[in-house]
């Protein structure tokens, strides 16, 4: 029996999302015969004490956002030489940084929206050359935290970041249908269309039951579905993701399929998209968690 240290909670804006997925992951791992130690990461020194006392074989990364999927935890565990689930340091850093990720997408023939990276302070001073409507989002954050859709100058009154040095990405708003696809061990299986009841697929739509309809498989032309699957596999490979990733897209007839972002540590709640798509591909939630543990590794291992 392998001993798995399940990390959840954490320091990021997505802490509550992580906490809500903890019980399902823990139960799945126990059903697969693993000994599970659950730890709410709030203090690194305490984490070190737990690792020293428990000596886990694998760390299951159940954290999201900063310190979960941005490379910091990955680098920490690499130094300790403890295998962990999901992607390594490089893929995590590149996937979390939306600007760098878009540059990689372009290099690999994946279509993106016109955009520019800047800081909140520079934006307040200089504005942007991107025409209305456009989207403002943090360069490195997840779950649609801090995302603003700007249709006209009056919408700018709602934009606020606590730190003037916050790095932001401003890009042309792509109207159309919200699509997403999982890539598991280099292969993508199906496309889901998301139909949120909110103005866009924001934090509330992602994590509130009944706020978003999941159409699986998406009712889209076969050529569009194939493009999404191909793009997801390209981005998974380009970033060198481990085991699992999920790519989000927008689609309309004029722009075609436009890549929005990749998630190297996709959500694992009861409302999450990856477990849903895995089930469609014949992979149960418990099997998915098991695959993640079995594929766990660390740099230089």
């Amino acid at each position: 029996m392998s001993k798995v240290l399940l990390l959840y909670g954490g320091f990021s804006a997505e802490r509550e999302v992580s906490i809500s997925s903890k019980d399902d992951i823990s139960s799945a791992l126990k059903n697969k015969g693993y000994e599970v130690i659950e730890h709410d990461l709030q203090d690194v020194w305490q984490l070190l004490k737990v690792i020293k006392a428990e000596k886990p074989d694998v760390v299951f990364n159940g954290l999201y956002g900063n310190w979960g999927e941005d490379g910091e935890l990955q680098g920490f565990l690499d130094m300790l030489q403890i295998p962990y689930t999901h992607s390594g340091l490089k893929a995590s850093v590149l996937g979390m940084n939306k600007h760098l990720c878009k540059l990689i997408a372009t290099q690999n023939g994946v279509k993106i929206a016109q955009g520019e990276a800047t800081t909140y302070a520079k934006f307040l001073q200089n504005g942007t050359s991107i025409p209305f409507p456009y989207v403002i989002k943090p360069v490195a954050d997840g779950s649609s935290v801090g995302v603003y859709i700007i249709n006209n100058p009056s919408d700018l009154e709602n934009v606020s970041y606590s730190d003037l040095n916050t790095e932001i990405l401003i890009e042309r708003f792509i109207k159309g249908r919200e699509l997403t696809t999982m890539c598991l061990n280099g292969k993508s299986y199906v496309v889901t269309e998301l139909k949120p009841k909110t103005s866009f697929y924001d934090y509330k739509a992602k994590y509130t039951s009944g706020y978003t309809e999941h159409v699986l498989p998406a009712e889209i032309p076969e050529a569009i579905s194939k493009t999404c699957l191909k793009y997801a596999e390209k981005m998974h490979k380009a970033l060198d993701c481990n085991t699992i990733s999920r790519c989000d897209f927008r689609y309309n007839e004029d722009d075609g399929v436009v890549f929005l972002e990749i998630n190297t540590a996709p959500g694992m709640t009861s409302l999450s998209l990856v477990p849903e798509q895995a089930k469609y591909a014949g992979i149960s939630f418990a099997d998915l968690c098991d695959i993640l543990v079995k594929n766990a590794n660390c740099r230089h291992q």
Side-chain angles (χ1 to χ4, degrees):
M1 178 189 292
S2 295
K3 183 182 286 189
V4 178
L5 174 60
L6 170 57
L7 294 183
Y8 70 96
F11 313 114
S12 80
E14 298 174 75
R15 172 177 169 79
E16 294 305 317
V17 179
S18 175
I19 291 173
S20 69
S21 65
K22 181 260 295 182
D23 289 343
D24 288 340
I25 296 170
S26 181
S27 177
L29 292 175
K30 289 174 183 175
N31 286 339
K32 284 294 181 178
Y34 295 104
E35 179 184 354
V36 180
I37 299 97
E38 301 172 5
H39 180 69
D40 182 354
L41 177 61
Q42 298 187 64
D43 179 278
V44 177
W45 291 110
Q46 188 60 38
L47 172 59
L48 280 171
K49 290 180 182 178
V50 171
I51 289 173
K52 185 175 180 180
E54 299 290 349
K55 296 180 175 57
D57 299 300
V58 172
V59 169
F60 192 105
N61 181 10
L63 301 165
Y64 308 120
N66 298 327
W67 245 91
E69 52 187 308
D70 61 357
E72 296 193 54
L73 177 68
Q74 290 76 12
F76 178 73
L77 294 173
D78 282 340
M79 288 191 293
L80 295 176
Q81 286 292 280
I82 301 174
Y84 53 89
T85 63
H86 300 80
S87 291
L89 188 150
K90 183 183 79 170
S92 300
V93 169
L94 295 175
M96 192 69 170
N97 188 303
K98 296 179 179 66
H99 177 56
L100 293 178
C101 192
K102 295 288 177 75
L103 295 178
I104 293 170
T106 300
Q107 292 171 356
N108 285 273
V110 175
K111 188 173 184 180
I112 65 170
Q114 173 194 6
E116 60 185 20
T118 184
T119 64
Y120 181 41
K122 289 180 180 177
F123 172 70
L124 291 175
Q125 182 177 359
N126 304 320
T128 179
S129 61
I130 306 298
F132 295 112
Y134 58 82
V135 181
I136 302 176
K137 63 180 75 172
V139 163
D141 224 329
S143 287
S144 302
V145 174
V147 176
Y148 300 92
I149 297 176
I150 309 301
N151 292 297
N152 51 62
S154 63
D155 287 339
L156 291 169
E157 297 175 4
N158 300 320
V159 179
S160 178
Y161 297 100
S162 58
D163 186 351
L164 288 173
N165 293 316
T166 298
E167 293 183 276
I168 59 173
L169 182 65
I170 303 167
E171 57 185 12
R172 186 170 68 89
F173 176 72
I174 305 296
K175 297 179 181 179
R177 300 165 76 170
E178 192 98 26
L179 306 174
T180 190
T181 190
M182 165 193 79
C183 190
L184 177 62
N185 288 332
K187 178 176 174 54
S188 52
Y189 293 85
V190 68
V191 180
T192 298
E193 179 177 4
L194 307 170
K195 294 184 175 181
K197 293 182 179 179
T198 49
S199 58
F200 76 106
Y201 192 50
D202 58 8
Y203 187 96
K204 187 174 185 178
K206 289 180 179 180
Y207 301 115
T208 307
S209 180
Y211 268 76
T212 298
E213 178 186 359
H214 295 184
V215 182
L216 173 66
E219 297 171 352
I220 53 177
E222 184 178 358
I224 301 305
S225 178
K226 286 182 176 179
T227 298
C228 291
L229 299 180
K230 178 179 69 175
Y231 279 179
E233 290 177 1
K234 278 190 172 186
M235 293 305 299
H236 185 94
K237 181 178 180 181
L239 269 63
D240 192 24
C241 295
N242 177 38
T243 311
I244 204 163
S245 65
R246 196 195 78 233
C247 285
D248 299 332
F249 309 97
R250 271 292 176 96
Y251 162 67
N252 64 61
E253 291 185 358
D254 293 330
D255 295 301
V257 176
V258 179
F259 169 72
L260 297 180
E261 62 182 16
I262 190 171
N263 192 324
T264 58
M268 297 284 277
T269 71
S270 59
L271 296 176
S272 295
L273 296 156
V274 162
E276 188 176 57
Q277 290 198 347
K279 183 179 179 181
Y280 178 87
I283 302 165
S284 70
F285 184 77
D287 286 341
L288 180 62
C289 292
D290 187 39
I291 291 169
L292 283 161
V293 171
K294 287 178 176 174
N295 286 355
N297 59 36
C298 62
R299 194 179 180 189
H300 304 313
Q301 186 186 20

